[in-house]
């Protein structure tokens, strides 16, 4: 299976909206109806230019340059050794399937942000995380999903760089209803690795997701139950991927 998974909503509707006011755009009836239909069918939605460019750039600058580097925590459990050439998508997917069948499902190497204390005044706690629990964001999410979510929970930023990879079992998301991921990765090349791959119910490889700057992805329960992985990033790659994850509840 190689079906195109991305629903690129903004490019379809950009002529109808004012580009300087993204909030008005997100909540336009035509746009909401379109996204609602797509999510109802696919349990998956991809939205380009989710935040104003200035906000996206400030978030990127925080994680890539301004945040205290000690606030990144490396997570690793290297049970699985992937093929070293990141562009070998099908080989890495087969290795991931084999490792999962052998109960080696939690094999990964990446970094993510840590929890801060209550009332922390840093940019992440005061500005970034509240975006996803804001009234406008929740209204947008609820109109698309026909749910009544009240907040975003377990929000963190994941960083993936050279040599990092993730082989993930679907059991990790067993109780999740709706996951979001907000990408602030700039100019990522397909040949660098670090590609998200979802295996469908027949263990076929869906079209790999290449990081797209300032984009939001929503995944419903049926999508989260599928096996997913991130292929290894090439050892000589100096660029980093930054992606904010969380769940609506």
């Amino acid at each position: 299976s190689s079906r195109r998974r991305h629903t690129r909503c903004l490019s379809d509707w950009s002529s109808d909206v004012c580009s300087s006011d993204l909030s008005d755009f997100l909540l336009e009836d035509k746009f909401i109806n379109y996204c609602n239909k797509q999510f109802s069918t696919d349990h998956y939605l991809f939205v380009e230019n989710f935040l104003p460019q200035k906000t996206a750039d400030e978030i990127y600058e925080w994680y890539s340059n301004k945040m205290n580097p000690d606030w990144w925590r490396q997570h690793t459990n290297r049970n699985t050794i992937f093929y070293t050439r990141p562009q070998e998508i099908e080989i890495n997917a087969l290795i991931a399937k084999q490792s999962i069948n052998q109960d080696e499902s939690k094999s990964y190497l990446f970094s993510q942000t840590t929890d801060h204390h209550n009332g922390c005044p840093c940019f992440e706690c005061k500005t970034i995380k509240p975006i996803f629990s804001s009234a406008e964001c929740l209204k947008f999410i609820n109109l698309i999903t026909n749910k009544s979510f009240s907040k975003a929970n377990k929000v963190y930023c994941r960083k993936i760089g050279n040599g990092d990879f993730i082989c993930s079992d679907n059991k990790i998301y067993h109780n999740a209803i709706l996951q979001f991921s907000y990408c602030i990765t700039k100019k990522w090349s397909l040949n660098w690795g670090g590609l998200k791959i979802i295996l469908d119910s027949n263990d076929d490889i869906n079209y790999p997701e290449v990081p797209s700057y300032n984009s939001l992805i929503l995944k419903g329960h049926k999508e989260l139950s599928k096996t997913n992985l991130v292929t290894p990033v090439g050892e000589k790659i100096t660029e980093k991927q930054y992606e904010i994850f969380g769940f609506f509840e």
Side-chain angles (χ1 to χ4, degrees):
S1 171
S2 61
R3 65 185 177 91
R4 186 66 176 177
R5 298 168 50 83
H6 289 178
T7 301
R8 294 187 174 273
C9 294
L10 183 64
S11 58
D12 294 337
W13 301 101
S14 57
S15 61
D16 298 333
V17 301
C18 174
S19 59
S20 64
D21 194 346
L22 185 61
S23 295
D24 287 347
F25 165 71
L26 288 174
L27 297 173
E28 286 217 349
D29 288 343
K30 228 177 1 177
F31 179 74
I32 289 294
N33 292 336
Y34 179 76
C35 292
N36 180 279
K37 181 179 179 181
Q38 293 294 330
F39 186 80
S40 297
T41 302
D42 296 337
H43 308 280
Y44 178 100
L45 188 70
F46 178 101
V47 182
E48 289 182 311
N49 297 336
F50 181 67
L51 296 178
Q53 187 69 35
K54 182 176 183 293
T55 304
D57 292 344
E58 288 174 347
I59 294 175
Y60 174 81
E61 185 65 19
W62 168 259
Y63 287 120
S64 63
N65 293 313
K66 292 185 176 180
M67 191 181 83
N68 186 334
D70 293 337
W71 291 357
W72 293 108
R73 178 180 296 169
Q74 188 179 68
H75 292 252
T76 182
N77 182 17
R78 303 193 68 160
N79 294 331
T80 302
I81 304 300
F82 281 111
Y83 194 63
T84 55
R85 291 174 59 193
Q87 62 268 38
E88 297 291 348
I89 294 171
E90 294 195 9
I91 293 178
N92 281 316
L94 290 172
I95 293 172
K97 280 196 295 185
Q98 183 179 22
S99 70
I100 289 172
N101 292 335
Q102 296 173 351
D103 293 326
E104 297 179 0
S105 56
K106 295 181 180 179
S107 186
Y108 47 80
L109 177 64
F110 64 92
S111 298
Q112 77 177 44
T113 51
T114 57
D115 290 331
H116 298 179
H117 62 81
N118 289 335
C120 174
C122 81
F123 184 69
E124 179 181 57
C125 294
K126 295 288 287 186
T127 302
I128 298 174
K129 288 184 177 181
I131 289 173
F132 301 99
S133 289
S134 67
E136 284 185 337
C137 182
L138 291 172
K139 183 177 180 180
F140 172 71
I141 297 300
N142 290 334
L143 286 171
I144 286 174
T145 60
N146 298 322
K147 301 289 185 181
S148 299
F149 296 111
S150 61
K151 66 177 180 178
N153 193 23
K154 298 181 181 178
V155 180
Y156 64 91
C157 184
R158 185 175 72 191
K159 178 176 70 171
I160 290 182
N162 58 314
D164 290 350
F165 67 92
I166 298 174
C167 170
S168 176
D169 190 354
N170 54 18
K171 294 178 182 177
I172 293 175
Y173 303 114
H174 181 71
N175 296 319
I177 297 177
L178 182 67
Q179 182 199 51
F180 74 86
S181 58
Y182 172 68
C183 179
I184 41 170
T185 300
K186 289 188 173 182
K187 298 179 181 178
W188 194 262
S189 170
L190 182 72
N191 292 325
W192 294 351
L195 307 179
K196 291 184 188 177
I197 295 177
I198 309 294
L199 304 182
D200 65 20
S201 57
N202 297 319
D203 280 343
D204 291 328
I205 303 169
N206 282 301
Y207 195 93
E209 297 173 0
V210 181
S212 178
Y213 188 68
N214 193 16
S215 64
L216 181 80
I217 291 177
L218 298 177
K219 291 183 180 180
H221 181 74
K222 288 186 178 180
E223 280 295 306
L224 292 174
S225 65
K226 297 178 180 179
T227 300
N228 61 93
L229 64 140
V230 177
T231 61
V233 177
E235 294 289 346
K236 295 183 180 180
I237 303 303
T238 58
E239 300 294 326
K240 301 289 189 295
Q241 289 186 18
Y242 300 96
E243 194 161 8
I244 299 171
F245 286 86
F247 297 91
F248 289 107
E249 59 180 31

